[in-house]
């Protein structure tokens, strides 16, 4: 086998493993979300809402377009889990803030997401190494 072919096989296998892990994590989130009466995007929004933030900031954390985040936030707002407040420094923007009910549900979600996670078999050190390697690979030109 030629060196480029060997490298192509290794990359294909690595891509398959990363894809498989992403699917396992997505299914894990979906199952935990459903158990709380949420959709996977709603669960992702709650997980990522670590404090007051704009819709644009939330969309970036969710890796989606702001219009998609708006749709998700509208549903969460109808359930009284999130409120839109005036932004303290930008009159054009709103800040998204969890309600007490939203905070309680987020805490429950985080507990569920950490239990039986697809990454549970890794030590903290292994997770840190994986995080570092994936960050390095995704920022490499």
């Amino acid at each position: 086998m030629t060196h480029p072919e060997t490298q192509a096989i290794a990359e294909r296998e690595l891509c398959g493993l990363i894809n498989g892990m992403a699917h396992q994590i997505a299914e894990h989130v979906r199952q935990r979300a459903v158990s709380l009466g949420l959709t996977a995007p709603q669960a992702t929004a709650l997980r990522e809402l670590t404090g007051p933030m704009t819709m644009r900031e939330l969309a970036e954390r969710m890796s989606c377009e702001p219009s998609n985040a708006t749709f998700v936030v509208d549903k969460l707002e109808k359930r009284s889990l999130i409120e839109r407040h005036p932004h303290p420094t930008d009159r054009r923007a709103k800040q998204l803030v969890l309600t007490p009910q939203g905070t309680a549900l987020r805490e429950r979600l985080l507990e569920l997401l950490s239990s039986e996670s697809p990454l549970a078999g890794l030590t903290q050190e292994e997770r840190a190494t994986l995080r570092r390697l994936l960050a390095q690979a995704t920022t490499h030109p």
Side-chain angles (χ1 to χ4, degrees):
M1 248 188 288
T2 64
H3 176 68
E5 180 145 348
T6 303
Q7 185 174 348
I9 290 169
E11 284 195 23
R12 185 185 76 235
E13 289 174 351
L14 186 56
C15 287
L17 289 168
I18 291 169
N19 226 2
M21 180 178 61
H23 285 293
Q24 284 182 355
I25 291 169
E27 181 60 18
H28 178 72
V29 170
R30 189 194 67 72
Q31 288 176 358
R32 292 344 183 243
V34 166
S35 75
L36 296 174
L38 299 167
T39 65
Q42 289 170 346
T44 299
L46 286 177
R47 180 189 67 203
E48 297 302 326
L49 200 59
T50 56
M53 66 182 65
T54 65
M55 189 71 72
R56 184 168 304 284
E57 291 167 327
L58 180 60
E60 189 174 300
R61 285 185 175 204
M62 292 176 65
S63 301
C64 70
E65 293 296 318
S67 60
N68 291 341
T70 299
F71 177 79
V72 172
V73 167
D74 287 347
K75 299 293 184 193
L76 293 171
E77 189 175 36
K78 283 182 180 151
R79 291 187 56 187
S80 300
L81 300 172
I82 290 180
E83 294 176 343
R84 289 176 168 99
H85 292 183
H87 193 282
T89 59
D90 184 350
R91 293 182 314 164
R92 298 166 294 154
K94 298 282 186 189
Q95 273 192 326
L96 305 173
V97 179
L98 289 172
T99 64
Q101 182 182 350
T103 299
L105 186 60
R106 181 179 186 274
E107 288 172 9
R108 180 70 184 126
L109 173 66
L110 294 178
E111 289 171 10
L112 288 174
L113 289 176
S114 66
S115 72
E116 300 177 26
S117 164
L119 300 174
L122 299 177
T123 66
Q124 285 296 103
E125 184 179 320
E126 289 167 335
R127 288 181 194 200
T129 299
L130 180 59
R131 183 181 310 110
R132 182 181 53 76
L133 291 171
L134 290 172
Q136 181 180 340
T138 57
T139 57
H140 190 276

